[in-house]
Amino acid sequence: MIIIVIFARIIIDTMKIAVFCSANDHIDKCYFTAAEELGHWIGANGHMLVYGGQDRGLMRCVGQAVHESGGQLIGVIPQMLVRAGQRPDCLDVEIPCDNLADRKELMLAQADVCIALPGGIGTLDEVFTVAASHNIGYHAKMVVLYNIHGFWDKTIEMLEDMQARGFIRGQWSDYIQVADSFDALKKIL
């Protein structure tokens, strides 16, 4: 009986955290520092990283940090990227997919919560896919904008404007949360 309780506690405490982020290498170092800090926290706390499985940019950085800290990595990677040599060597679980739409669906199915580090068009696509599908009831998972050095300020401003004009049902913050610091991010999680 005691073993079952301990096992149940481990399952409850472990989160699968999806991280959406840039695969670009030529961005400000401050974003790599924040991605590394998040990755070390995920690994050190026994959580699992669910990510795009690409061996570039912030994706490589957060994945390496999780791996170095003893965490597990679930990489959902389009086969096109594998053929291009962009698959990291440290994946614990590789979920192959055909395209970016498949990747989003598979990542969301695996994740308990989603975090968006700074990124580009792909990251925006992932954030709004999670929020829109939450909005219409497909799931109840949150996406958190990790607002490193105000990166997401303009996106937040756009969401506020859309809200004020009546284009968002309910409150956008019902689907998307914002963390302006690592401590704030940890509290949300």
Side-chain angles (χ1 to χ4, degrees), residues 31-117:
Y31 303 121
F32 287 98
T33 301
E36 185 175 30
E37 180 179 39
L38 174 61
H40 284 302
W41 181 86
I42 290 170
N45 285 281
H47 303 305
M48 298 176 77
L49 173 67
V50 179
Y51 75 129
Q54 199 166 352
D55 198 25
R56 293 174 42 184
L58 296 181
M59 275 197 235
R60 176 181 52 228
C61 182
V62 71
Q64 283 178 334
V66 170
H67 179 71
E68 290 168 3
S69 299
Q72 291 189 317
L73 286 79
I74 299 173
V76 183
I77 183 165
Q79 293 308 286
M80 173 184 194
L81 297 177
V82 172
R83 288 190 296 274
Q86 296 180 22
R87 180 200 181 278
D89 294 330
C90 58
L91 295 179
D92 295 296
V93 176
E94 180 177 344
I95 301 175
C97 60
D98 293 324
N99 55 55
L100 297 178
D102 289 345
R103 180 164 76 174
K104 287 185 299 187
E105 186 176 327
L106 291 165
M107 285 178 68
L108 185 56
Q110 289 291 318
D112 297 314
V113 65
C114 304
I115 299 170
L117 295 175

Side-chain angles (χ1 to χ4, degrees), residues 113-164:
V113 65
C114 304
I115 299 170
L117 295 175
I121 293 169
T123 303
L124 283 172
D125 179 39
E126 292 162 334
V127 166
F128 289 118
T129 295
V130 172
S133 58
H134 182 163
N135 182 31
I136 60 176
Y138 282 111
H139 62 81
K141 299 173 186 180
M142 295 298 297
V143 62
V144 183
L145 302 178
Y146 186 10
N147 197 22
I148 302 162
H149 295 284
F151 180 86
W152 293 109
D153 285 351
K154 295 291 185 184
T155 304
I156 295 164
E157 184 180 313
M158 179 192 70
L159 288 166
E160 289 290 344
D161 183 55
M162 292 168 72
Q163 183 87 58

Side-chain angles (χ1 to χ4, degrees), residues 164-176:
R165 294 171 188 252
F167 285 97
I168 297 177
R169 288 185 306 274
Q171 298 293 313
W172 65 266
S173 58
D174 291 339
Y175 318 109
I176 301 172

